[in-house]
Amino acid sequence: MHDYRLSDEQLTELRSAHRAVREIREAYRINAVILLGQGRAVKDVADALLMDPETVRTYFKRYQKGGVDELLRMSYVGSEALLDAGQLRALDEHLRDTVYQTAAEVARYVKDRWRVCYTPSGMTAVLHRLGYVYKKPKLQPGKHPPVETQEAFVAKYNSLKENKAEGDVILFMDAMHPQHNPVLGSGWIKRGKTHPIQSNTGRQRLNINGAINIEALQLEYRFDDTIDAASTIALFDQLQAAYPTAPRIIVFCDNARYYKSKAVAEYLEHSRIQLEPLPPYSPNLNLIERFWKFFKKQVLYNRYYERFAEFRDASRAFLSDLTPHESRLRTLLAENFQIIGN
């Protein structure tokens, strides 16, 4: 009696390929090989999948001959050849630099370059086996400082944190300007249905200046007509009032022009606030940027506010009480600084 049993590694590969395929006939082929590989009899597998026993044996022979690619070969159109190991390495290198929106686009690239034809589902299986998943790219600043500069900042931050005096506090500060309009975000919507969200025609926006203490999850913020030296000094006054016993209030901020104004410089001479500028073009190092992104998800994503006052009130309500979001914010605001360019 033929022993069709497969190793755990082979079964894992087959299950991964099964999740990747989109055509039912491909799934059935993989099912047949998995069931045989688990030690089931050919007749039992054929009966379970409503196949001829010889078909089941043929699928297994194909898998033994050339793995998943050979098993799914009947799905490919045109050339009978498949990508060899060297071509797969070249495809992998190409995909590291080029993001295609669909598997069909990758299949077209492969056909143009190597004259090898795959169906979209066949190419999806190839992409999964190469370690690719379908997800959005991640935006990063077009300009950013050298890796060494970013790492030096992290070292400086850690040193300040370790050597600060008892009672000193560390804050991250920045302004945000959310517009009175919904931000569309993905969500669960009934198949075949749309979920329209109203939008506003105006361009009114809020000007919010804030500073967050990630250790205490304490936020100080202001709504101002504009963010400038005067509004910054007003926020500094709030910080000194919020931490009346702190010997030093260390504030990390970006390089906005108003932080370097004469009025701000004169204020800092007689205050407990110590401004620590971030490297230029490095919002990735300012942890309050993560907080503002979280704010947008909670207040703006898929939410319509008919009147600007409603939008302002919803924003103020969120910023005034972070308690319901404490567990998520502690994870989000962890000091695992992202170094761009690594």
Side-chain angles (χ1 to χ4, degrees):
M1 183 176 178
H2 195 287
D3 186 1
Y4 294 98
R5 272 187 280 254
L6 297 173
S7 67
D8 291 341
E9 291 78 9
Q10 289 172 309
L11 290 171
T12 298
E13 179 198 31
L14 285 162
R15 292 190 182 99
S16 177
H18 186 274
R19 289 192 295 270
V21 298
R22 294 292 180 267
E23 294 188 15
I24 189 66
R25 57 182 179 172
E26 295 175 338
Y28 268 96
R29 289 180 206 137
I30 298 174
N31 281 340
V33 177
I34 288 175
L35 292 173
L36 280 179
Q38 291 174 335
R40 300 172 192 263
V42 171
K43 185 178 184 304
D44 292 339
V45 174
D47 289 343
L49 299 178
L50 301 178
M51 291 180 181
D52 181 80
E54 191 57 38
T55 300
V56 174
R57 293 189 185 94
T58 298
Y59 290 159
F60 194 87
K61 289 176 183 177
R62 281 182 172 274
Y63 176 71
Q64 282 187 313
K65 178 182 177 182
V68 175
D69 284 339
E70 178 67 22
L71 176 62
L72 301 180
R73 182 193 290 271
M74 288 178 285
S75 292
Y76 305 141
V77 180
S79 172
E80 277 294 307
L82 299 175
L83 294 178
D84 59 32
Q87 291 168 333
L88 286 172
R89 284 194 297 271
L91 176 61
D92 187 20
E93 292 176 4
H94 173 70
L95 293 174
R96 290 169 191 252
D97 298 324
T98 307
V99 177
Y100 291 93
Q101 291 186 316
T102 66
E105 292 178 353
V106 183
R108 283 194 290 272
Y109 169 80
V110 168
K111 181 180 178 181
D112 291 341
R113 179 167 178 181
W114 291 295
R115 311 311 301 169
V116 176
C117 299
Y118 283 85
T119 63
S121 58
M123 181 52 66
T124 299
V126 172
L127 292 170
H128 278 282
R129 288 196 294 280
L130 289 175
Y132 290 86
V133 296
Y134 195 78
K135 61 181 180 180
K136 290 181 179 179
K138 190 171 184 178
L139 287 175
Q140 71 176 35
K143 295 181 179 179
H144 57 79
V147 169
E148 295 77 12
T149 302
Q150 298 174 69
E151 290 176 341
F153 165 80
V154 175
K156 179 180 180 181
Y157 170 81
N158 290 330
S159 176
L160 277 170
K161 185 179 177 183
E162 291 171 6
N163 299 306
K164 68 183 178 70
E166 183 178 356
D168 285 353
V169 295
I170 296 177
L171 307 173
F172 289 86
M173 180 173 69
D174 194 22
M176 181 182 62
H177 313 276
Q179 191 173 350
H180 177 213
N181 235 334
V183 175
L184 296 183
S186 300
W188 292 101
I189 301 172
K190 192 77 170 178
R191 184 182 288 110
K193 302 291 184 181
T194 59
H195 186 84
I197 296 176
Q198 293 176 275
S199 63
N200 300 300
T201 56
R203 294 188 178 181
Q204 280 186 290
R205 63 176 65 241
L206 294 171
N207 295 303
I208 308 174
N209 207 3
I212 193 165
N213 179 338
I214 64 169
E215 183 177 349
L217 276 188
Q218 181 176 340
L219 174 74
E220 294 298 322
Y221 70 94
R222 294 180 52 82
F223 286 51
D224 287 294
D225 292 335
T226 186
I227 306 298
D228 54 16
S231 63
T232 299
I233 290 172
L235 180 59
F236 286 163
D237 284 338
Q238 281 185 225
L239 296 181
Q240 296 204 91
Y243 300 98
T245 62
R248 186 172 53 155
I249 303 171
I250 304 168
V251 179
F252 288 95
C253 62
D254 61 21
N255 290 269
R257 186 177 301 173
Y258 43 79
Y259 292 139
K260 302 174 184 179
S261 68
K262 181 179 178 181
V264 168
E266 291 175 350
Y267 179 92
L268 292 175
E269 288 179 3
H270 307 287
S271 78
R272 292 175 288 126
I273 292 176
Q274 174 182 326
L275 273 192
E276 291 289 343
L278 296 159
Y281 306 110
S282 56
N284 53 301
L285 301 177
N286 195 346
L287 296 186
I288 198 172
E289 294 282 0
R290 302 182 194 173
F291 174 78
W292 290 137
K293 185 175 180 179
F294 183 76
F295 162 88
K296 290 180 180 178
K297 286 184 176 180
Q298 299 301 312
V299 178
L300 288 174
Y301 274 40
N302 299 331
R303 294 176 182 267
Y304 169 68
Y305 303 97
E306 182 177 1
R307 293 181 293 119
F308 183 74
E310 294 174 359
F311 169 50
R312 184 184 59 239
D313 292 345
S315 300
R316 192 182 300 278
F318 172 84
L319 297 173
S320 298
D321 183 13
L322 303 182
T323 306
H325 314 286
E326 181 175 353
S327 60
R328 283 180 289 174
L329 285 174
R330 289 207 176 278
T331 300
L332 180 68
L333 300 178
E335 296 157 305
N336 52 343
F337 293 95
Q338 177 194 14
I339 304 298
I340 294 177
N342 271 345

